[in-house]
Structures are given as C-alpha cells and as structure tokens.
C-alpha cells in the first residue's frame, strides 16, 4: 500500500490489536492469549508484533514521514492529565511540544505522537484499560502473549549485550526530516528547567535513518522506557504528584493560578485550584500489572549492570563512552527510582491484607537486590547465602528509603495479618531472608548514619539543586558534577522523595525495634496456635469412632466453633507454617541482634505461655464492673484467630437458627408438633416432674433444662423472660438432623436385611431409646445433669 493509505489504516489497526482506550473494544486480548490454549493465534500474534515483524516495519515506514496521530489527554494517568489540563507541563520530555489544543468546537486536548510513540502508548496502556476483559479460562500472566512481548521489546530496545539493532528502512538513503516544534496556543508552565535529550535535541526530533546508529538506539530506547514508566508507574494521587515537584515550580504554579483566575479557556469550568485538586484517581493495580512492573525492574537491573567498567583516565571516558552506555549509567535513578518508590508506597498502603500481596512483595525484593542480576554468577553452589559486596553500598545509600521506610511499611502490614496462614508466613520469611543477607544490614545502617550526619559544609540552597533526580526533562541534560560526599548523596535522595520537612524513622532505631519485637511475639503466638490446631485436629480424628456417628442427642447445637482455616489445609501446610515462622524469627534475630534472653523476657512480659497449648486461654482483656473489656492486643488476637472466647448459644434451644446440618422443613414441622404436645400435656408433665421417685427423676432429666433456666435468669441480654418456657417440655428437633435421618434409614435397611418389619423395627428403636434414657437418668441425674 502507499504511505497515504497506510497512514489512514494505522490508527484503526493499532486499536484493533490493543483495544480501544475506553475498554469497549477488546482487540486481540493479548493478556489472555497463551500458547497452551491457543497455539496458532499465539505464535501468529508474536510473529506479527515482533520488533522485526510486519507491524514494526509499518511503524518505521510511517516514521520516515511527518505523520502524526492524536492521542487524547483524557486517557493519560490521572495526575498527568490534570496537570496538562491546567496548562502545567510535566517534567517528562515525552509530553513536550506535543500538546495540541482543540480547534473551535473540539472536545479536548490531544498529544500529537509519531508512529512509534503512538504504537507504544497503546501497547503500554492496554495493560490498564483492558484489565476488566472477560476471561474464559485460568490465565497465567507470565505465560501470556502480552508478557512475552514486553520481555521481547525490553531485550530489543534495552539490550544487555551489544547495541540496539537499527530499524529496517524501506527507502535506503532517505532521511527523516525533523518535525517543526509545535508551539502551544496557551503558554505552559514547566516542571523542568532544561529539556535537552542525550543528542542535545528534543526526543521528538528523531534523527535521520542514515545518521549515527547511536542516535537511533537512544531515541527509541528512551521513548520506550519513558512510555512504560509513565503508563505503569504514574498512577498515584494528585497530592503526591504535586509533592514530588521542586519548590520553584510550586511557586510558578501558584503564580499561574493567581493569574489564570480571571481568564477562561474554552468553557467556563471551575477554578484552577479546585480543578487541580478535585480529581483523585482511584488506582487499583492488578496482580498482572505488578508482575509486568517486576519484569521491567529485573530487566533494568540487568541492563544497568551490563555497563562497561569505566576507564582509568577521565579523558578517555569522555571520548569512548557511547550514548547507550551513558543511558545505562542513569537509567534507574533518573527514570525509575522516584516513580517506583511512590508506586510501592501506594501498594503497601492500599493492597488487601491477603496472599495476593506476594506479587508486590517480590517486585520490591527484586528492586532491592540488583546483585542478583549482575553478570557475574556464584561459582559454588553452597547453601550459605553470599555476602553482599561492598560495591553495592552506593546503590543502597542512594535507595535508602526503598530499604528502610518500605521495610517499616511491611512490618505494619505483617502485624495485621494472620501469620498462621502458610502464605502469610512465607511472605514474612521471604523479607527476613533477604534482609538477613550477610553485610546488607551493616550497609543499610551505614546509610542511615550518613543521612543523620549534621549538615555543616553544604549550603542549604545548594541542597535544593539536587532535589529532583528527574531534573532536566530528558536524562542527558548537562550531567551533574561528581559529588564525592556520600552523606550529601543520601540526603539528596531522601529529600527528593519526601521533601525537606521529612521526619526520618530509623530502621535500627528504638521505635522500629519495638515493632520487630512485637512481630516476633506474634510469630511465637502463631507457632503455638498452629501447634494447638494440629494437636486438636489429631485428637478429633482419634476421637471419632464409628458408633459416635449414630448419636441422637442434640448436644452439638450448643457447641462453639473451635476450628481455624488450617483445619481444611492439612498437616503438611501446618508444618510449612512452623518452618517458615521459625526461620523468619531466626533471621529477624540476626538482622536486629536480638538475643534469646530478650525473646524470653518479651514472651514472659506479653503472657504468651498458654494453658494446654492455648486451647482455653482467653483473649487479653481487662475486668470492669460491666464485664470484660478487650484491649487492642485482645482485639488483634480475636481477629487473627490466636485466641477466642468460648461463645455458646444461651437462649432457648428450640428457637436457635436452623443449622446447615438440619432439614429446614422438618425443623419447622417438628417445632409445631412439639408445641402442640407441650401445650396439651403441660399439666401432666408438671405432675410427673414433681414426683420424688425414679419416674420423677427420669422426667426431670429429659423434660427440663435447669442449666438453660439458670443462664437465662442471670443473662443481661434476655429482657423478656416471661415469654420463655421455664417448665418441662418435649423437644423433637433432634429428629430434623440429617445425621439422625440417615441413621434411622440405615437401621431400617439393616432390619429389612434380617426380615424385621418396619413396625417391629420402630418398636425396637423405642425400647432401645427408653433403656438409654433410663441408664442416663440412673447415672447422671443428681450428680452431673446435662453434661452428656
């Protein structure tokens, strides 16, 4: 096709593949396309969208002309959208010289993107817009076509070895003219002071096809990474977005708001201040989203660690370092660090307290361990963990908050989760194991000491110069001078992420140490709880005999729930939980230098010694004139199933809610029948129960419930005691139990096997039940009434 025809179908083709921005058109649904279920479509899609496939060739073919495609600003991440709509340009150079204002009658702002940017914008944002697409079968995110394509694009445009392959050109010798910069119709304030890229020109001004190959690889690599970061890591609250900006920009925004209050652009909307703060994005990242971000983090670590060692002479470095090598040097601190920190903070604070948090946890731990993705690999396969090399001290110091503040955030989450669950126990074990790597805690402590050093030499105004790691729009604005002061680097990192008024909480300080001690206490309690559940399950299995299944008594109706989620998991999972918690406690003791004496003293102080493995110990509470009042520790123990009250039904047994093991129709029918019998024979039962002989004892034992009378008489809950039946009565509800019905059917079946008729069988059952009643009366009435 001609370029004009290709230009017309390109937007339709991109939307047909990745779906529409509003999520109505699903497209090829790459997130659910897997080779195991759809092998043909899977292979065709990967071949078509490969970096050297037909789709990318079409992109490069259109790239050779000045074709532009409109991307609505309204579908950008919330903070960026609100900022552009308020005529305040974000720092990222991806948006510079691209904003197009609507003509008369237009609906909204658009970004004028070149074909490569347009394609990658749709590809990246489809992970967000298509998250509610229908799924007909179980999908493994790491095996989907989308996940494989992300990995392929990262390996192609951010290679760890060699350089980026040049794009195929259908017109050799042709040049890509630099598009004329588009000046916006309304002046913009800017979040950056400089907007130069690595090539001293704007990223949108792509170089010619036959230009320096380094030029081609840099603008595509930078564009790809900026789009991925902006689409996947830029969905936080608007207040946080404003907090990340430097002070002089905030002053510009304030002046702009004051000057714009009397002007109107387009429709007379609400004031600038109200509009900027009215939009709060409800961002809920999915587990698949987090897995893709983890893939990006892991690849960027490998990409950054593939940097060639610097030559000894600085002059040689300035002449031999390629643009791609310079890109590797600054790719993490300039592009990813700030936004990933905010993204992780959002997830730590808003993710549900369930096992799905494991995806966020592993992504965080992947970022904290760049040495895992270094080219050198350990030669020996020893079980002991490798010591973290001193060469990573600079990375740890420049990412101090990633280690310390997020660790405190994880502690607060762990203190609110049920550590008896094996999945939650595994997460605590994973974090403790990572931070217990030899030499890591010492380097984190060194970083904290550098941050807490008094600021004596560095002027305060100079300190603000290094506040933003994204200063300068694109990453190769004039490089910052080498700063040798390690303390200054740590301070600039902390203040750039949290602001000058940030109150730092030391990871190895007293407050965090108390949280660790509390977590150690909960780990010990969870171990004891898991052991008590295991013992209880074993006892229950041993006590269940064949004849106990045929009980006719309704005693189970007053029992309380004594189980836990682990009842359905099995002994193997309980064993895993105990192993995870034991190793996690050992690692925490290594990290924070906790001794066994401290743990023993803490356990005694918190009263974790339990009676009979914790089966009968009440939650922590305070006795008062109004009864027992739960303490915060007691509420935590109840929520997590560590301790419980023996709750029993204390009302009329006939009026209990219908249980799951009862037939509802029979319960109602037998209640009506027993009510009629009790009303008709009430006087006769009273006379029988007042006798002092054996018949009286028999009737008192089986027709009255003295324990119920005593409980209701002194209960503060029951108010209308006159409506309760205090006298003797007949109860037939136990016949509605499925266990009773099945037992009777089995007895009739066995009777028919021995040629016993149903009438004779019923007569035998009644005689047997009468003998059972006589024996129970003889043994229990007068000594232990109703203990059976």
């Amino acid at each position: 096709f001609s370029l004009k025809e290709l230009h017309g179908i390109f937007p339709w083709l991109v939307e047909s593949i990745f779906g529409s921005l509003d999520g109505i058109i699903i497209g090829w649904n790459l997130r659910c396309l897997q080779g195991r279920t759809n092998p043909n479509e899977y292979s065709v899609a990967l071949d078509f969208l490969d970096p050297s496939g037909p789709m990318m060739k079409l992109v490069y073919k259109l790239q050779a002309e000045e074709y532009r495609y409109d991307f609505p600003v309204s579908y950008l991440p919330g903070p960026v959208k609100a900022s552009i709509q308020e005529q305040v340009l974000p720092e990222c150079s991806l948006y510079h010289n691209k904003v197009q204002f609507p003509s008369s009658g237009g609906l909204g702002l658009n970004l004028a993107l070149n074909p490569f940017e347009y394609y990658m914008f749709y590809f990246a944002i489809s992970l967000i817009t298509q998250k509610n697409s229908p799924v007909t079968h179980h999908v493994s995110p790491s095996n989907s076509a989308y996940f494989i394509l992300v990995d392929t694009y990262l390996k192609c445009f951010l290679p760890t070895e060699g350089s980026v392959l040049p794009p195929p050109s259908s017109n050799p010798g042709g040049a890509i003219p630099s598009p004329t910069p588009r000046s916006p119709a309304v002046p913009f304030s800017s979040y950056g002071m400089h907007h130069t890229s690595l090539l001293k020109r704007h990223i949108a001004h792509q170089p010619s096809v036959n230009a320096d190959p380094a030029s081609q690889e840099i603008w595509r690599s930078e564009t790809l990474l900026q789009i991925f970061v902006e689409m996947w890591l830029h969905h936080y609250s608007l207040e946080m977005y404003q907090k990340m900006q430097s002070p002089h920009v905030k002053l510009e925004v304030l002046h702009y708001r004051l000057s714009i209050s009397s002007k109107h652009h387009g429709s007379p909307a609400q004031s600038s201040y109200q509009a900027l703060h009215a939009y709060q994005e409800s961002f809920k990242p999915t587990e698949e989203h987090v897995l893709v971000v983890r893939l990006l983090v892991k690849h960027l670590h490998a990409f950054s660690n593939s940097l060639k060692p610097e030559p000894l002479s600085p002059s040689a470095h300035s002449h031999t370092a390629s643009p791609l090598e310079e890109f590797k040097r600054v790719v993490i601190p300039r592009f990813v660090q700030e936004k990933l920190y905010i993204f992780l903070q959002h997830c730590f604070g808003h993710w549900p307290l369930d096992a799905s948090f494991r995806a966020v946890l592993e992504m965080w731990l992947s970022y904290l361990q760049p040495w895992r993705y270094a080219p050198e690999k350990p030669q020996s396969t020893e079980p002991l963990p490798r010591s973290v090399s001193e060469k990573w001290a600079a990375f740890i110091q420049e990412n101090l908050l990633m280690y310390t503040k997020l660790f405190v955030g994880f502690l607060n989450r762990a203190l609110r989760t049920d550590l008896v669950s094996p999945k939650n126990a595994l997460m605590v074990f994973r974090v403790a194991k990572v931070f217990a790597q030899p030499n890591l805690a010492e380097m984190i402590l060194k970083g904290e000491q550098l941050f807490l050093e008094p600021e004596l030499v560095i002027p305060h105004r100079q300190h603000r110069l290094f506040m933003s790691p994204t200063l300068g729009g694109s990453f190769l604005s004039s490089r910052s001078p080498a700063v040798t002061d390690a303390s200054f680097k740590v301070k600039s990192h902390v203040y750039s992420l949290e602001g000058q008024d940030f109150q730092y909480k030391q990871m190895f300080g007293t407050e965090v140490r108390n949280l660790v001690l509390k977590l150690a206490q909960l780990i010990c309690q969870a171990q004891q709880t898991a052991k008590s559940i295991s013992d209880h399950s074993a006892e229950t299995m041993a006590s269940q005999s064949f004849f106990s299944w045929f009980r006719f008594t309704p005693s189970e109706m007053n029992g309380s729930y004594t189980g836990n989620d682990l009842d359905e998991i099995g002994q193997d999972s309980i064993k895993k939980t105990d192993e995870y918690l034991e190793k996690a406690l050992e690692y925490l003791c290594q990290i924070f230098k906790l001794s066994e004496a401290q743990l023993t003293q803490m356990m005694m102080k918190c009263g974790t010694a339990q009676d009979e493995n914790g089966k009968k110990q009440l939650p922590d509470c305070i006795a008062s004139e109004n009864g027992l009042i739960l303490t915060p520790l007691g509420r935590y123990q109840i929520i997590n199933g560590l301790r419980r009250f023996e709750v029993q039904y204390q009302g009329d047994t006939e009026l209990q809610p219908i249980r799951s093991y009862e037939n509802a129709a029979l319960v109602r029918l037998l209640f009506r029948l027993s009510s009629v019998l009790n009303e008709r024979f009430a006087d006769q039962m009273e006379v029988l129960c007042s006798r002092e002989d054996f018949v009286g004892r028999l009737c008192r034992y089986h027709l009255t419930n003295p324990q119920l009378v005593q409980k209701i008489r002194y209960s503060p809950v029951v108010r209308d005691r006159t409506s309760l039946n205090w006298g003797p009565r007949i109860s037939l509800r136990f016949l509605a139990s499925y266990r009773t019905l099945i037992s009777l059917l089995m007895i009739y079946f066995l009777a028919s096997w021995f040629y016993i008729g149903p009438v004779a069988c019923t007569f035998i059952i009644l005689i047997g039940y009468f003998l059972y009643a006589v024996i129970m009366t003889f043994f229990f009435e007068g000594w232990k009434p109703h203990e059976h």
Side-chain angles (χ1 to χ4, degrees), residues 425-558:
L426 175 60
M427 287 192 282
V428 176
F429 163 74
R430 288 283 297 123
V431 174
K433 182 180 179 181
V434 168
F435 278 85
Q437 295 178 84
N439 204 30
L440 178 58
E442 289 76 8
M443 286 192 284
I444 296 176
L445 179 60
K446 176 63 176 177
E448 288 192 326
Q449 293 172 350
L450 290 173
F451 174 75
L452 297 175
E453 284 183 1
E455 193 172 353
L456 300 176
V457 181
I458 303 173
H460 187 70
R461 295 182 63 84
Q462 184 184 358
H463 197 83
R464 292 177 177 269
L465 180 62
F466 294 90
M467 277 190 61
S468 177
T470 56
L471 185 66
S474 183
F475 76 91
L476 202 75
S477 54
S478 52
R479 283 191 69 189
S480 304
V483 181
T484 58
D485 188 357
S487 174
F488 176 60
K489 287 184 178 181
V490 178
K491 293 177 186 291
S492 63
H493 155 72
V494 173
Y495 292 139
S496 66
L497 295 181
E498 293 290 347
Q500 292 282 352
D501 54 349
F502 176 61
Q503 299 295 325
Y504 182 75
K505 183 184 295 184
Q506 299 182 52
M507 177 176 169
F508 296 95
T510 305
E511 186 176 352
V512 177
R513 189 180 182 86
N514 291 335
L515 291 178
V516 173
L517 289 174
K518 187 180 297 185
L519 178 62
Q521 170 200 344
L522 294 178
I523 288 175
C524 296
Q525 290 180 349
Q527 286 180 301
Q528 294 176 352
T529 303
K531 185 178 185 302
S532 66
I533 293 172
S534 177
D535 296 342
H536 175 73
S537 300
E539 293 175 2
T540 303
M541 294 297 295
S543 63
Q544 286 181 350
S545 62
F546 177 77
F547 292 103
S548 65
W549 196 81
F550 294 96
R551 290 177 301 183
F552 288 96
T553 58
S555 57
E556 69 274 6
M557 297 180 68
N558 280 331

Side-chain angles (χ1 to χ4, degrees), residues 77-239:
V80 179
K81 177 183 72 173
S83 175
I84 293 178
Q85 289 174 345
E86 291 299 315
Q87 285 77 44
V88 181
L89 203 61
E91 279 182 333
C92 181
S93 62
L94 193 62
Y95 307 107
H96 296 167
N97 298 332
K98 292 184 176 66
V99 179
Q100 298 296 301
F101 288 89
S103 57
S104 57
L107 296 178
L109 298 173
N110 293 310
L111 295 179
L113 306 176
N114 63 45
F116 184 81
E117 293 169 337
Y118 187 79
Y119 173 83
M120 286 301 172
F121 259 84
Y122 263 86
F123 174 75
I125 207 169
S126 63
L127 179 66
I128 311 299
T129 57
Q130 301 293 328
K131 62 183 179 180
N132 295 323
S133 57
V135 179
T136 57
H137 57 275
H138 177 70
V139 176
S140 175
S142 58
N143 295 327
S144 66
Y146 187 88
F147 193 89
I148 301 300
L149 281 174
V150 171
D151 187 46
T152 305
Y153 289 154
L154 289 174
K155 290 178 179 177
C156 176
F157 297 108
L158 300 171
T160 56
E161 297 180 0
S163 58
V164 184
L165 295 177
S169 176
S170 60
N171 183 21
I176 303 175
S178 296
T180 306
R182 301 171 181 265
S183 57
V186 177
F188 271 66
S189 301
S190 174
Y191 281 125
M193 293 189 302
H194 308 285
H195 306 304
T196 56
S197 181
L198 174 65
L199 306 172
K200 306 302 181 185
R201 68 183 71 177
H202 193 270
I203 190 173
H205 303 171
Q206 59 268 30
S208 64
V209 173
N210 293 333
D212 181 11
S215 308
Q216 295 284 355
E217 67 183 14
I218 286 306
W219 80 260
R220 284 183 296 160
S221 302
E222 186 179 356
T223 300
L224 177 84
L225 183 58
Q226 282 185 328
I227 291 175
F228 282 0
V229 170
E230 286 295 305
M231 295 299 106
W232 297 340
L233 297 179
H234 218 147
H235 295 257
Y236 34 80
S237 66
L238 196 56
E239 285 83 0

Side-chain angles (χ1 to χ4, degrees), residues 673-689 699 703 725 727-730 732:
L673 178 60
S674 59
S675 299
V676 172
L677 293 176
N678 291 327
E679 185 177 353
R680 177 169 298 183
F681 301 105
D683 297 335
Q684 290 85 337
M685 287 190 291
E686 285 284 356
V687 173
L688 288 174
C689 290
C699 294
L703 298 179
N725 188 354
R729 56 181 176 172
I730 297 174
L732 302 176

Side-chain angles (χ1 to χ4, degrees), residues 279-532:
Y279 184 84
Q280 289 299 316
E281 187 175 30
S282 177
F283 177 52
K284 299 177 181 178
T286 61
E287 187 174 351
E288 180 187 10
H289 182 178
V290 174
L291 291 175
V292 173
V293 173
R294 187 192 180 203
L295 176 65
L296 174 65
V297 168
K298 291 166 64 176
H299 185 83
L300 289 181
H301 273 318
F303 178 69
S304 179
N305 291 333
S306 65
L307 177 68
K308 298 177 182 178
E310 294 187 6
L312 298 178
S313 60
S315 59
H317 168 72
S318 61
H319 292 288
T320 59
S322 67
L324 188 62
E325 294 297 307
E326 292 291 335
F327 188 42
K328 292 178 180 179
R329 191 183 312 278
V330 298
V331 62
I332 290 181
R334 192 66 62 85
F335 283 101
V336 180
Q337 183 192 70
E338 186 177 35
K339 292 182 174 62
L340 182 63
Y341 173 72
I342 304 298
F343 181 82
L344 283 170
Q345 268 199 318
H346 178 85
C347 291
F348 274 58
H350 297 82
W351 202 277
L353 292 172
D354 56 19
S356 65
F357 185 72
R358 175 78 185 278
V360 179
L361 187 76
E362 293 299 336
M363 186 254 288
W364 172 50
L365 296 180
S366 295
Y367 184 82
L368 298 185
Q369 303 177 86
W371 47 86
R372 292 183 55 191
Y373 312 100
E376 65 273 6
K377 298 294 182 182
Q379 300 298 328
S380 61
T381 57
E382 298 179 359
L384 297 177
R386 275 197 310 167
S387 176
V388 180
S389 174
E390 286 291 338
K391 73 176 186 178
W392 301 107
F395 177 87
I396 294 171
Q397 293 168 8
E398 294 171 7
N399 292 270
L400 185 63
L401 291 179
M402 287 283 195
Y403 291 88
T404 59
K405 187 174 181 181
L406 293 182
F407 179 80
V408 176
F410 175 77
L411 282 180
N412 291 325
R413 285 185 61 93
L415 291 172
R416 303 198 305 272
T417 55
D418 181 12
L419 299 183
V420 183
S421 170
K423 294 181 179 179
N424 293 335
L426 175 60
M427 287 192 282
V428 176
F429 163 74
R430 288 283 297 123
V431 174
K433 182 180 179 181
V434 168
F435 278 85
Q437 295 178 84
N439 204 30
L440 178 58
E442 289 76 8
M443 286 192 284
I444 296 176
L445 179 60
K446 176 63 176 177
E448 288 192 326
Q449 293 172 350
L450 290 173
F451 174 75
L452 297 175
E453 284 183 1
E455 193 172 353
L456 300 176
V457 181
I458 303 173
H460 187 70
R461 295 182 63 84
Q462 184 184 358
H463 197 83
R464 292 177 177 269
L465 180 62
F466 294 90
M467 277 190 61
S468 177
T470 56
L471 185 66
S474 183
F475 76 91
L476 202 75
S477 54
S478 52
R479 283 191 69 189
S480 304
V483 181
T484 58
D485 188 357
S487 174
F488 176 60
K489 287 184 178 181
V490 178
K491 293 177 186 291
S492 63
H493 155 72
V494 173
Y495 292 139
S496 66
L497 295 181
E498 293 290 347
Q500 292 282 352
D501 54 349
F502 176 61
Q503 299 295 325
Y504 182 75
K505 183 184 295 184
Q506 299 182 52
M507 177 176 169
F508 296 95
T510 305
E511 186 176 352
V512 177
R513 189 180 182 86
N514 291 335
L515 291 178
V516 173
L517 289 174
K518 187 180 297 185
L519 178 62
Q521 170 200 344
L522 294 178
I523 288 175
C524 296
Q525 290 180 349
Q527 286 180 301
Q528 294 176 352
T529 303
K531 185 178 185 302
S532 66

Side-chain angles (χ1 to χ4, degrees), residues 596-717:
E596 293 186 5
Q598 286 179 303
L599 289 178
T600 305
Q601 182 181 3
M602 175 198 63
M603 297 293 290
M604 295 295 294
K605 181 179 179 180
C606 297
T608 54
Q610 298 186 357
D611 299 329
E612 298 182 5
N613 293 328
K615 295 178 184 177
K616 295 184 179 179
Q617 188 173 9
L618 297 179
D620 190 67
C621 50
I622 302 173
S624 67
E625 58 182 9
N626 296 324
L628 298 178
I629 299 177
L630 284 172
T631 63
L633 177 60
R635 286 193 292 271
Y636 170 83
Q637 292 167 342
I638 290 179
I639 291 173
N640 292 279
L642 301 178
R643 300 182 189 176
R644 65 181 183 275
F645 289 104
E646 294 295 336
V647 180
Q648 293 185 354
Y649 182 79
Q650 297 184 357
D652 192 343
T653 55
E654 290 295 302
L655 301 178
Q656 291 187 73
I658 298 175
R659 307 303 178 92
S660 59
Y661 52 81
E662 293 178 322
N663 185 286
L666 276 179
V667 170
R668 297 186 178 96
L669 179 62
L670 292 173
F671 176 73
R672 293 181 181 179
L673 178 60
S674 59
S675 299
V676 172
L677 293 176
N678 291 327
E679 185 177 353
R680 177 169 298 183
F681 301 105
D683 297 335
Q684 290 85 337
M685 287 190 291
E686 285 284 356
V687 173
L688 288 174
C689 290
S690 62
R691 294 173 58 170
E692 296 298 333
D693 54 3
F694 180 79
V695 176
R697 293 172 59 190
L698 178 66
C699 294
R700 282 195 299 272
Y701 182 78
H702 293 283
L703 298 179
T704 62
N705 193 341
Q707 281 191 343
L708 173 64
V709 174
Q710 185 177 7
K711 288 179 180 178
I712 294 177
R713 181 171 297 171
Y714 298 103
S715 174
V717 178

